[in-house]
Amino acid sequence: MTTVRRRSARPTTKTTDKVAEPRQDIIAEAGARILEGSLQIPKNLKMMMFAFSDAGKTVFSSGIPIREWPKDDAGNLLPKYGTVLDDVLFCDADSGLMSVHTLGAVVQHVYPVTGRLVSTEQMERIPAEAKKVGVSRVVIDTISMFQQSLLNPRMQSDYSLKLQDWGYIRNVFAKMCASLDNMGIDLLLTAHADEREDETLPKILRENPVTHKVELVHPTRMLPAIQGAFRHLVYGYFDVVAFYRLEWDKDTPVRRLYTRSTRSIAARSRLAILPPVIENPDWPTIKNMWLEGRAKLVETLKAQNPRLEVD
């Protein structure tokens, strides 16, 4: 009687704890490749800044040169009456311009002229309005309140906002941003801050403070208070997503802008152009830092890739 041994369909492999060494010749070859063609790095800046109430979002976004203004002994800004901010189209969704007016400054171009930014139809007209008045920057303050304004009429009826509605709103926003990009106009969005579970992080075991049961949850971090499909667009679309916070160094108020993610904050700075923390920033300072960082990046790319045209 002949015994037939059946071979396994899957070949056996020996396991080893040794990690394969990287092929140095392949690495050297890849490093020696020279890019060819042309590369355009936009000069306009797309930024989202989120903060809690009374941190100074509106004053920052208006473009007041805070670093140049005088301060009292307590570190508070002294009003400088007669300042006209004429290079920004300020789209007011949160009725926050009063904080700018109390500092003696006036935003010349406000949209809409009366009332607040409350509809997608108004958002669609922003690029045309920016072109008409000839500004270099558009501000929406705040995107959180704008989204809430879209929800309010529906909350007062039997209609509930559906997934396709959020997708439509996201598409309107993306189209507006593309138009501003083509015109080389900066875009700054402000948002309220919200400490909640960050779904982009792996889940961890944590005790529920109410039930005292151990649950598998996402870690909590400071995030922009925005809803729907737009929430997932933010970190991939904006060049800078930063958390703005009022802190105290002994008795002196200090406003800090965090541009990198930490365990407690979700932020980003594309290509790490901006420093991780900026104290008492204003828009002119941030824009200058961005342009200087961009110039250094262009210089480095040209030096490393002589055949690459970088603009």
Side-chain angles (χ1 to χ4, degrees):
M1 181 176 180
T2 304
T3 303
V4 179
R5 293 183 179 180
R6 180 178 297 176
R7 292 186 179 182
S8 173
R10 179 180 297 176
T12 58
T13 57
K14 294 182 179 180
T15 59
T16 176
D17 294 333
K18 185 178 179 181
V19 179
E21 294 293 332
R23 289 279 304 277
Q24 296 298 326
D25 56 336
I26 297 178
I27 295 176
E29 180 185 354
R33 292 175 183 169
I34 297 177
L35 296 175
E36 297 184 5
S38 61
L39 176 65
Q40 288 188 340
I41 303 176
K43 296 180 181 178
N44 58 307
L45 173 59
K46 298 186 293 292
M47 177 176 176
M48 171 176 280
M49 184 261 284
F50 61 103
F52 291 112
S53 298
D54 299 325
K57 296 186 296 294
T58 304
V59 172
F60 174 89
S61 62
S62 68
I64 292 177
I66 298 173
R67 292 193 172 189
E68 300 175 5
W69 279 29
K71 300 178 180 62
D72 60 20
D73 295 337
N76 299 311
L77 284 175
L78 295 175
K80 195 171 181 180
Y81 296 102
T83 301
V84 178
L85 306 168
D86 59 358
D87 198 27
V88 56
L89 178 65
F90 196 95
C91 304
D92 188 10
D94 212 350
S95 301
L97 275 176
M98 184 57 67
S99 57
V100 175
H101 297 158
T102 55
L103 292 174
V106 177
V107 178
Q108 183 170 338
H109 306 294
V110 179
Y111 177 78
V113 177
T114 58
R116 297 184 297 111
L117 187 74
V118 295
S119 70
T120 53
E121 291 77 15
Q122 289 174 326
M123 178 175 279
E124 287 178 314
R125 291 195 292 268
I126 288 176
E129 189 69 21
K131 183 178 181 180
K132 182 176 72 175
V133 297
V135 296
S136 65
R137 182 165 59 99
V138 166
V139 169
I140 298 179
D141 181 57
T142 62
I143 193 66
S144 304
M145 186 56 67
F146 173 72
Q147 285 194 315
Q148 191 61 42
S149 299
L150 296 177
L151 279 170
N152 285 340
R154 294 167 171 83
M155 292 173 64
Q156 298 169 6
S157 65
D158 295 332
Y159 183 87
S160 59
L161 209 63
K162 298 180 176 61
L163 182 63
Q164 58 265 33
D165 295 319
W166 286 123
Y168 169 72
I169 295 168
R170 180 192 63 187
N171 292 339
V172 170
F173 175 82
K175 184 178 179 180
M176 178 203 70
C177 294
S179 298
L180 295 177
D181 262 348
N182 293 335
M183 293 188 287
I185 294 177
D186 297 323
L187 175 64
L188 171 61
L189 265 65
T190 65
H192 296 294
D194 185 18
E195 188 174 13
R196 66 173 187 271
E197 289 188 28
D198 188 348
E199 298 173 356
T200 64
L201 298 178
K203 288 185 176 182
I204 59 173
L205 291 173
R206 177 176 294 172
E207 182 181 354
N208 188 308
V210 178
T211 63
H212 299 290
K213 293 182 178 179
V214 177
E215 300 174 347
L216 194 61
V217 297
H218 296 283
T220 58
R221 291 203 292 181
M222 294 295 182
L223 295 159
I226 50 182
Q227 305 178 51
F230 181 62
R231 176 187 297 180
H232 306 291
L233 180 69
V234 170
Y235 290 88
Y237 179 78
F238 288 94
D239 302 311
V240 177
V241 180
F243 177 57
Y244 193 52
R245 180 162 60 191
L246 173 62
E247 300 173 350
W248 292 85
D249 288 353
K250 295 183 179 180
D251 295 330
T252 304
V254 180
R255 287 177 168 83
R256 291 189 172 96
L257 188 73
Y258 295 87
T259 67
R260 310 284 174 82
S261 285
T262 65
R263 288 186 177 182
S264 59
I265 298 170
R268 72 160 300 190
S269 173
R270 195 187 301 274
L271 303 176
I273 287 180
L274 296 181
V277 183
I278 306 171
E279 291 192 355
N280 295 321
D282 55 19
W283 174 259
T285 301
I286 296 299
K287 185 58 190 290
N288 288 336
M289 284 182 173
W290 179 262
L291 291 177
E292 290 172 2
R294 180 190 178 279
K296 291 179 181 178
L297 176 62
V298 169
E299 183 180 352
T300 301
L301 287 172
K302 286 183 176 180
Q304 294 179 351
N305 303 277
R307 301 178 189 174
L308 181 66
E309 296 181 5
V310 186
D311 183 21

